[in-house]
Amino acid sequence: MERVRQLGRELSNWGRWGTDDQRGTLNFVTPQVIQRATSSARKGRVFSLGLALGSDGPQIGQGGRVNPLHFVTALHVGYGAANGFRYNDDALLLPLQAATQWDSLAHVYYDDTLYNGVPATMVTSAGAARNAIDAVGEGVLTRGVLLDIARLEGVERLPPGFVIRPEHLEAAEKAQQVCVRTGDALLVRTGHITVFTRDQNREAYMRQMPGLGLDCARWLYEREVAAVATDTNAVEVIPFEDPGIPLPLHLVCIRDIGLILGEMFYLEELAADCTRDGQWDFLLAAPALKVRGGLGTPLNPLAVK
Ligand code: UVW
């Protein structure tokens, strides 16, 4: 943990946007960044990056996470005349982390302290009183940049345990002729999601995966990325680089940098289109649900090219 603490101190954004800030690096998304982002929507094609919410989702019960339960609560209910008005309603019960999601800045922490020095006691069984997902407000709407590391490596998908380094991110930028800039949301494709979507192997999808190594934290910090997401369940590599320190990138990104992580983004069709037309940036609309005190949010992110 000393390495994590040291890195966290070096990359800390605590206080940068005020002692009360709860939005972290989303503060990089200024009106100018959004205006620039809209110019990346050039041809009007929209890609949904969200997994479907249903009982056939990716969860295998790990950490108490189950797939969503969807049930119909009103079926062909009528008012008034026979063959007149009828309606159908439904309900959804789900862990907010069940499928495509943002982690809030209250999701992980160490040393009893969350992002911006908030005591961990601010999170209770009622949710987070600080750094919750509803504090994200109007985010996330910005320019998205996709870096396709599987394509860079010349494979359909990276193997579990493959560590993505800053050098991979930079090599992908060069190969794709795109540059990650202040306020961008960075999407990293590993191709691993096809283990679930195509092979239907939930266990293999959820237990081990390729992902970002801890040394990417500094790169994300220096590039002033607003949010980062991948097509895996953890963003970072599993098995962990140091087996004694679980999810170190989560700790430094969320708690110290104030950077939200996006997981299980479905990037396959977007990546195929980017390969076809050579345009790797787009307008990304991935707004958080305003779950009061929420520790995360389910999403259907839209990439508009
Ligand atoms: C944890 O950090 C526990 O989970 P996730 O990878 O879904 O953010």
Side-chain angles (χ1 to χ4, degrees), residues 25-26 28-30 33-34 36-37 40 49 102 139-147 169 173 176 178-189 212 219-220 223-230 259-262 265 267 270 280-287 299 301-303:
T25 50
L26 289 174
F28 287 130
V29 184
T30 59
V33 166
I34 294 174
R36 195 183 67 205
S40 299
L49 311 182
W102 289 122
V140 179
L141 177 71
T142 188
R143 187 176 84 130
V145 173
L146 175 63
L147 295 182
L169 301 177
E173 279 185 305
Q176 297 172 203
V178 69
C179 184
V180 177
R181 296 186 298 224
T182 299
D184 286 343
L186 171 64
L187 309 186
V188 179
R189 176 176 174 268
L212 303 186
W219 194 90
L220 296 168
R223 291 300 187 95
E224 300 186 335
V225 165
V228 61
T230 69
L259 174 66
I260 59 168
L261 304 186
F265 278 46
L267 302 173
L270 175 64
W280 295 89
D281 67 341
F282 36 83
L283 176 66
L284 180 76
L299 291 175
L302 299 180

Side-chain angles (χ1 to χ4, degrees), residues 65 97 101 103 107-108 233-234 247 250 263:
R65 292 180 188 174
Q97 293 75 23
Q101 66 181 281
D103 288 341
H107 179 55
V108 304
N233 173 42
L247 297 165
H250 270 65
E263 293 166 340

Side-chain angles (χ1 to χ4, degrees), residues 2-195:
E2 217 25 69
R3 184 173 167 222
V4 168
R5 285 191 187 94
Q6 177 58 33
L7 192 61
R9 278 191 291 271
E10 286 171 29
L11 308 185
S12 174
N13 276 326
W14 293 13
R16 182 171 184 163
W17 297 284
T19 50
D20 286 342
D21 177 62
Q22 303 179 65
R23 301 184 73 241
T25 50
L26 289 174
N27 286 291
F28 287 130
V29 184
T30 59
Q32 293 70 30
V33 166
I34 294 174
Q35 276 172 345
R36 195 183 67 205
T38 59
S39 66
S40 299
R42 294 177 201 141
K43 55 184 187 183
R45 277 208 69 190
V46 184
F47 297 86
S48 163
L49 311 182
L51 292 175
L53 294 175
S55 56
D56 57 352
Q59 294 300 331
I60 53 172
Q62 263 178 330
R65 292 180 188 174
V66 294
N67 288 309
L69 294 176
H70 175 219
F71 42 97
V72 172
T73 52
L75 185 60
H76 310 309
V77 177
Y79 290 152
N83 295 325
F85 177 90
R86 297 286 181 274
Y87 77 93
N88 302 306
D89 269 2
D90 52 358
L92 190 63
L93 183 66
L94 79 165
L96 302 186
Q97 293 75 23
T100 310
Q101 66 181 281
W102 289 122
D103 288 341
S104 78
L105 296 182
H107 179 55
V108 304
Y109 64 95
Y110 61 90
D111 290 345
D112 296 332
T113 315
L114 311 176
Y115 167 70
N116 223 6
V118 168
T121 49
M122 297 299 263
V123 185
T124 66
S125 56
R130 303 279 304 167
N131 295 351
I133 202 67
D134 51 327
V136 159
E138 61 277 13
V140 179
L141 177 71
T142 188
R143 187 176 84 130
V145 173
L146 175 63
L147 295 182
D148 190 338
I149 309 303
R151 180 173 181 267
L152 179 77
E153 291 294 298
V155 295
E156 202 175 302
R157 60 193 183 206
L158 301 173
F162 183 99
V163 186
I164 298 172
R165 304 272 178 212
E167 299 76 53
H168 292 110
L169 301 177
E170 286 181 6
E173 279 185 305
K174 206 166 161 200
Q176 297 172 203
Q177 295 184 320
V178 69
C179 184
V180 177
R181 296 186 298 224
T182 299
D184 286 343
L186 171 64
L187 309 186
V188 179
R189 176 176 174 268
T190 71
H192 182 68
I193 203 161
T194 60
V195 174

